[in-house]
């Protein structure tokens, strides 16, 4: 396998509009099974249109091994939250639409969008700061600091402005104590009847370096979960707890080629012989469009990304707007494990943050279905630092505080 450091070197040496990853070469949209260096572009151009200094090589030698390259047109990669009901399960979502002369979708929205108790992975949510937009509660995990249950989703699903405060203006914006709702559908948003918890922390985004995680944690109340049901994924026919895949298992995805699954708010359940997913690339580096920085849409670059497609690569929409925050799951010899957190995509390709990075940066572990603690949000404390900060956490009197926005008042660490 090509190391992430080498992929970063290749990315730095290519034009800004080109993404780089290690993946499977495709010919005429059919996967050949051959490992390759995969360059991704929004739109392919003929050789005559490309300046000579931007031409990509046909093969690359890395540590004595020669790899062929593949240039893949993936369209514009954007975040997957949406402001209205759009595209369901294996093209049965509502409403239907015409894409390149083919009708996709149906008249019955997936059950993921309904009022679901107890809570579980794969269901629709939104937050007070993101009213009008919807996403997916990916799964329930364990916060390592409190041994407490938390919900995991993307920061752009429940956080209005997730950039490091050093990059933001001084306007006070508190991202913590931000209520989130299930169902997170238009008409229910803002109704306290459907509030199920609050945002407690997230992985801040930066513009001047690679990002690996678009992730946020939300509280889970004991009244909304059960040990027997809440570790499950909505609609996926598997009833055993799902551990997190190990780094070695994720690194081997292209070799082991396990079947992938996901359950999301908009496209429903992706599982079964026709509707499952497959790994496209590993440790992909690519620019992602759509992040909100003080009201301005700002592109940022992500690395160590898992790329995936429909099992049949010529089929579009492995993931669609509103599926942001979904868990990406792999079947390792009959054992289902979470391998990633879905956060972006284009017509034929989806992208997920690796679960080992998500677990490390948000300090969480997989839930084994046993009884855990619950967060008491009324006892939370905050500390402030002058000006903005590039620090994700602050240690004060042996307590760890997470960056959660900007405040007009002061309460310094001393």
């Amino acid at each position: 396998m090509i190391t992430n450091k080498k992929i970063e070197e290749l990315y730095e040496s290519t034009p800004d509009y080109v993404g780089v990853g290690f993946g499977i070469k495709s010919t005429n949209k059919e996967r050949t099974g051959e490992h390759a260096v995969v360059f991704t572009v929004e739109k392919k151009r003929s050789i005559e249109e490309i300046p000579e200094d931007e031409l990509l090589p046909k093969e690359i030698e890395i540590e004595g091994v020669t790899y062929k390259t593949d240039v893949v047109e993936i369209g514009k990669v954007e975040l997957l939250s949406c402001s209205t009901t759009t595209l369901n399960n294996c093209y049965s979502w509502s409403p239907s639409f015409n894409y390149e002369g083919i009708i996709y979708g149906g008249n019955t929205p997936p059950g993921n969008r309904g009022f679901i108790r107890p809570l579980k992975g794969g269901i629709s949510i939104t937050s007070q700061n993101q009213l009008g937009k919807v996403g997916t509660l990916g799964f329930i995990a364990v916060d390592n600091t409190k041994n407490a249950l938390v919900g995991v989703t993307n920061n752009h699903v429940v956080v209005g402005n997730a950039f490091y405060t050093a990059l933001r203006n001084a306007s006070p914006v508190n991202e913590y104590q931000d209520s989130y709702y299930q169902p997170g559908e238009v008409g229910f948003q803002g109704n306290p009847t459907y509030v199920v918890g609050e945002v407690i922390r997230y992985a801040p985004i930066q513009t001047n370096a690679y990002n690996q995680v678009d992730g946020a944690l939300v509280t889970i109340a004991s009244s909304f979960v059960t040990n027997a049901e809440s570790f499950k994924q909505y609609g996926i026919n598997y009833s055993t707890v799902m551990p997190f895949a190990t780094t070695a298992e994720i690194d081997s995805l292209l070799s082991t080629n396990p079947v992938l699954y996901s359950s999301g708010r908009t496209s429903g359940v992706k599982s079964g012989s026709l509707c499952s997913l497959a790994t496209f690339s590993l440790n992909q580096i690519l620019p992602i469009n759509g992040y909100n920085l003080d009201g301005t849409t700002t592109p940022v670059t992500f690395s160590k990304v898992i790329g995936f497609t429909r099992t049949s690569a010529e089929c579009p929409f492995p993931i669609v707007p509103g599926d942001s925050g979904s868990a990406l799951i792999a079947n390792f010899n009959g054992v289902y494990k979470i391998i990633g957190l879905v956060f972006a995509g284009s017509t034929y390709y989806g992208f997920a943050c690796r679960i080992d990075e998500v677990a490390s940066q948000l300090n969480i572990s997989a839930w084994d279905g046993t009884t855990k603690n619950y967060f008491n949000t009324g006892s939370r404390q905050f500390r402030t630092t002058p000006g903005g900060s590039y620090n994700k956490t602050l240690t004060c009197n042996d307590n760890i505080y997470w960056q959660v926005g900007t405040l007009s008042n002061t309460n310094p660490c001393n």
Side-chain angles (χ1 to χ4, degrees):
M1 176 178 169
I2 300 175
T3 65
N4 186 64
K5 186 177 187 319
K6 184 61 181 179
I7 293 174
E8 289 182 358
E9 292 175 0
L10 291 171
Y11 180 77
E12 296 293 345
S13 65
T14 60
D16 291 342
Y17 59 84
V18 178
V20 184
F22 182 51
I24 300 295
K25 186 173 178 63
S26 296
T27 301
N28 297 325
K29 293 186 178 180
E30 290 292 330
R31 291 156 58 88
T32 67
E34 183 180 9
H35 289 178
V37 175
V38 179
F39 297 109
T40 56
V41 295
E42 180 176 337
K43 186 173 181 59
K44 281 188 175 182
R45 295 179 290 170
S46 65
I47 292 180
E48 292 75 19
E49 297 177 282
I50 304 173
E52 186 173 350
D53 61 348
E54 294 184 8
L55 290 173
L56 300 171
K58 293 184 177 180
E59 57 183 32
I60 296 175
E61 182 176 328
I62 301 173
E63 296 183 352
V65 179
T66 300
Y67 295 93
K68 291 183 180 178
T69 65
D70 197 7
V71 180
V72 180
E73 180 179 309
I74 63 173
K76 187 176 183 180
V77 180
E78 301 179 298
L79 299 178
L80 295 177
S81 58
C82 55
S83 58
T84 60
T85 301
T86 53
L87 306 169
N88 181 352
N89 180 13
C90 215
Y91 310 125
S92 61
W93 57 73
S94 175
S96 60
F97 66 99
N98 186 313
Y99 178 75
E100 294 184 347
I102 300 175
I103 302 298
Y104 293 93
N107 296 317
T108 304
N112 305 61
R113 304 182 197 180
F115 178 86
I116 297 170
R117 303 293 184 273
L119 301 178
K120 60 184 66 177
I123 61 178
S124 177
I125 60 171
T126 191
S127 77
Q128 189 65 36
N129 272 347
Q130 295 286 68
L131 292 183
K133 295 184 178 181
V134 289
T136 301
L137 179 67
F139 52 92
I140 296 176
V142 179
D143 170 72
N144 293 331
T145 62
K146 301 289 186 181
N147 194 35
L149 294 184
V150 289
V152 184
T153 187
N154 292 148
N155 61 29
H156 77 264
V157 171
V158 293
V159 175
N161 187 342
F163 283 84
Y164 276 96
T165 54
L167 299 169
R168 295 162 57 172
N169 62 36
S171 299
V173 179
N174 303 336
E175 304 293 358
Y176 81 108
Q177 295 181 327
D178 179 26
S179 298
Y180 78 102
Y181 304 84
Q182 200 296 313
E185 304 295 317
V186 175
F188 294 115
Q189 297 176 357
N191 186 332
T193 302
Y194 299 96
V195 174
V196 290
E198 297 180 1
V199 178
I200 49 175
R201 65 174 179 261
Y202 53 90
I205 299 296
Q206 49 195 338
T207 58
N208 56 351
Y210 295 137
N211 299 274
Q212 292 80 40
V213 174
D214 180 339
L217 302 184
V218 293
T219 61
I220 298 289
S222 60
S223 58
F224 297 134
V225 302
T226 67
N227 291 1
E229 290 292 323
S230 293
F231 64 80
K232 298 178 181 178
Q233 288 284 308
Y234 183 89
I236 294 182
N237 187 24
Y238 188 77
S239 58
T240 303
V241 295
M242 295 184 188
F244 293 167
T246 66
T247 296
E249 286 172 326
I250 298 172
D251 287 342
S252 69
L253 286 173
L254 292 175
S255 299
T256 57
N257 195 28
V259 177
L260 306 186
Y261 308 86
S262 190
S263 181
R265 175 264 170 198
T266 303
S267 63
V269 180
K270 279 74 65 182
S271 69
S273 59
L274 294 177
C275 303
S276 299
L277 306 169
T279 306
F280 158 66
S281 63
L282 281 180
N283 291 337
Q284 187 85 27
I285 302 176
L286 74 169
I288 305 291
N289 301 282
Y291 285 94
N292 168 45
L293 177 56
D294 294 332
T296 300
T297 300
T298 304
V300 299
T301 303
F302 275 77
S303 67
K304 298 186 179 181
V305 171
I306 301 172
F308 59 96
T309 66
R310 289 275 180 176
T311 304
S312 182
E314 70 273 10
C315 294
F317 310 116
I319 217 78
V320 288
D323 290 337
S324 278
S326 309
L328 187 63
I329 297 159
N331 181 347
F332 293 98
N333 298 316
V335 179
Y336 286 30
K337 298 185 179 183
I338 297 173
I339 63 171
L341 186 65
V342 175
F343 75 111
S346 60
T347 303
Y348 285 93
Y349 303 93
F351 299 96
C353 308
R354 294 172 56 122
I355 195 61
D356 52 357
E357 289 287 338
V358 174
S360 174
Q361 293 197 28
L362 291 176
N363 196 17
I364 59 173
S365 301
W367 182 31
D368 61 5
T370 61
T371 300
K372 302 295 180 184
N373 299 324
Y374 295 91
F375 270 90
N376 177 7
T377 56
S379 65
R380 283 184 298 191
Q381 301 177 353
F382 67 89
R383 294 289 183 267
T384 57
T385 59
S389 174
Y390 276 116
N391 296 317
K392 181 173 67 174
T393 62
L394 167 71
T395 300
C396 178
N397 300 326
D398 296 326
N399 293 317
I400 296 177
Y401 296 81
W402 291 70
Q403 184 171 136
V404 290
T406 54
L407 297 173
S408 57
N409 57 335
T410 61
N411 187 16
C413 176
N414 52 41

